[in-house]
Amino acid sequence: MINKVSLTQFIIEQQRGLPDATGTFSLLLNNIVTACKEISHLVNRGNLVGVLGSADSENVQGEVQKKLDIITNDIMVNALNWTGHLAGMASEEVDDIIDIPENYPKGKYLALFDPLDGSSNIDVNLAVGTIFSILHCPEGIKPKVEDFLLKGVEQVCAGFVLYGPSTMMVLTTGHGVNGFTLDQDIGEFILTHPNMRIPEETNEFAINMSNQRFWEPPVQRYIDECLQGKDGPRGKNFNMRWIASLVAEVYRILTRGGVFLYPSDLRDSSKPGRLRLMYEANPMAFIMEQAGGACSTGFERILEIKPTHIHQRVPLILGSKNEVERIVAYHQES
Ligand code: MN
Ligand code: MN
């Protein structure tokens, strides 16, 4: 019989090896897992339970919310607010930070999440996900927005769940990256992808080509060289992928390498990028670096950005280290 290691066992054993581990963190993670199992179930049931389609509302980013954006946000909030492990929360779908209700005890962590990443994919039955990031909160304070605005290097833990053909959780606490598959029969995430490493060499890139006319010269140059294939300066042919769901793109890159770009472009100088630093770029950057990859805006390591706003957007370039470094070099040369 194969010895199966559940996510709970894995985390508890990992925590045991650390000084001053209290077990609080494993409990917090367990609550996130519970929320993600519920989301997995809902996403899987789809319109059998009437959860697809748009809600009649927009989020703080001015994007039309899907019904599931709101439902999954409520699932995350309700799974985490009572636990006593958190001092506060922030969600992509909520304008302000989310306080822990007065009647519940407060803890020493902050949870930030994108409850349903890639939600435009949900109505067409393609992959979506949940992304989360855990930060420390100074003890005994009621956190204000400024207390959330920590650099990505300060993250205690980051992870995402991909609701694809299988439901998978990918997790880092700063000791490598591990992948767990949800065993629907027993309701547990099981360690199936220990120590995930991103291949350094790749011939795959992912970018929304329809924005090409707005890209800045370094990105134009990089993609142009890829497109020239064997006859160009790279001397090899490239493939293109575009799933329009960050969790799915990142999972592919973790599995077989590649590079993903949502660069800054010339459409609107007030919006330097599209993806959110706190809910998307930081957790994915932590995972990328822990798996041997890299993550940058083109000019700056994502994890070193000092956030100015909880809903701040940034340009995002991530994936195989050599490719990200090449793109960063093109930015420096320009
Ligand atoms: Mn998202
Ligand atoms: Mn979302």
Side-chain angles (χ1 to χ4, degrees):
M1 190 178 144
I2 309 159
N3 183 24
K4 289 185 178 178
V5 176
S6 71
L7 175 56
T8 311
Q9 181 184 350
F10 180 86
I11 291 300
I12 288 175
E13 289 187 348
Q14 198 178 53
Q15 293 290 296
R16 271 185 199 142
L18 302 176
D20 49 70
T22 57
T24 311
F25 176 72
S26 346
L27 292 167
L28 170 61
L29 205 61
N30 240 349
N31 289 97
I32 295 176
V33 165
T34 304
C36 291
K37 283 188 216 168
E38 196 175 342
I39 295 171
S40 174
H41 180 71
L42 270 183
V43 165
N44 186 255
R45 301 282 289 162
N47 241 11
L48 293 174
V49 285
V51 292
L52 303 189
S54 296
D56 293 323
S57 58
E58 287 185 352
N59 66 12
V60 63
Q61 322 271 342
E63 297 157 337
V64 175
Q65 285 174 306
K66 297 284 181 185
K67 279 188 207 165
L68 263 177
D69 283 322
I70 298 168
I71 296 168
T72 55
N73 181 70
D74 291 348
I75 289 173
M76 290 294 282
V77 169
N78 293 326
L80 299 177
N81 65 3
W82 59 273
T83 60
H85 309 316
L86 291 179
M89 292 178 275
S91 166
E92 184 191 87
E93 298 299 332
V94 181
D95 298 11
D96 298 318
I97 57 172
I98 304 165
D99 293 333
I100 303 300
E102 285 302 326
N103 51 326
Y104 293 132
K106 316 293 181 288
K108 58 179 181 182
Y109 296 108
L110 302 171
L112 299 90
F113 44 85
D114 176 357
L116 195 67
D117 178 64
S119 61
S120 64
N121 272 351
I122 190 72
D123 292 344
V124 291
N125 201 18
L126 289 175
V128 289
T130 299
I131 311 172
F132 58 89
S133 164
I134 306 294
L135 295 167
H136 270 301
C137 180
E139 267 183 80
I141 65 156
K142 186 177 180 206
K144 297 188 287 290
V145 175
E146 303 83 81
D147 297 304
F148 285 77
L149 301 180
L150 302 176
K151 290 181 182 178
V153 286
E154 304 278 347
Q155 291 172 103
V156 178
C157 163
F160 65 83
V161 176
L162 171 63
Y163 312 106
S166 311
T167 292
M168 290 218 42
M169 177 174 279
V170 171
L171 192 70
T172 186
T173 56
H175 306 275
V177 176
N178 290 281
F180 304 82
T181 306
L182 180 60
D183 184 333
Q184 305 275 2
D185 290 337
I186 59 172
E188 286 263 29
F189 280 97
I190 303 294
L191 180 64
T192 48
H193 295 63
N195 196 21
M196 300 179 87
R197 301 292 298 172
I198 300 170
E200 280 177 20
E201 288 304 321
T202 181
N203 53 4
E204 217 163 58
F205 66 89
I207 193 165
N208 185 344
M209 287 293 292
S210 68
N211 294 328
Q212 181 172 20
R213 66 192 185 283
F214 304 114
W215 299 338
E216 289 173 342
V219 175
Q220 297 281 7
R221 175 182 168 192
Y222 176 76
I223 297 298
D224 181 55
E225 289 179 0
C226 292
L227 294 177
Q228 289 178 51
K230 230 173 167 359
D231 305 327
R234 299 302 304 274
K236 61 177 180 178
N237 294 327
F238 280 77
N239 270 323
M240 196 188 87
R241 292 289 180 272
W242 185 252
I243 315 175
S245 162
L246 182 63
V247 277
E249 309 275 6
V250 166
Y251 189 76
R252 186 189 63 249
I253 289 170
L254 281 167
T255 312
R256 65 179 194 206
V259 62
F260 167 92
L261 303 93
Y262 211 116
S264 67
D265 64 39
L266 306 168
R267 268 176 293 180
D268 180 353
S269 59
S270 71
K271 284 184 189 157
R274 179 174 156 76
L275 294 161
R276 290 78 170 171
L277 177 60
M278 307 299 289
Y279 319 106
E280 296 173 318
N282 268 343
M284 292 314 197
F286 194 13
I287 290 168
M288 281 291 128
E289 290 197 5
Q290 284 292 317
C295 190
S296 173
T297 63
F299 290 104
E300 195 177 6
R301 182 182 169 213
I302 291 285
L303 294 180
E304 292 284 358
I305 298 173
K306 173 71 184 130
T308 54
H309 191 274
I310 51 165
H311 294 297
Q312 182 175 350
R313 293 175 190 246
V314 287
L316 186 60
I317 297 163
L318 61 78
S320 295
K321 202 171 178 195
N322 296 348
E323 295 301 308
V324 174
E325 283 175 357
R326 175 183 287 268
I327 299 165
V328 170
Y330 289 2
H331 280 78
Q332 278 159 356
E333 284 169 32
S334 72

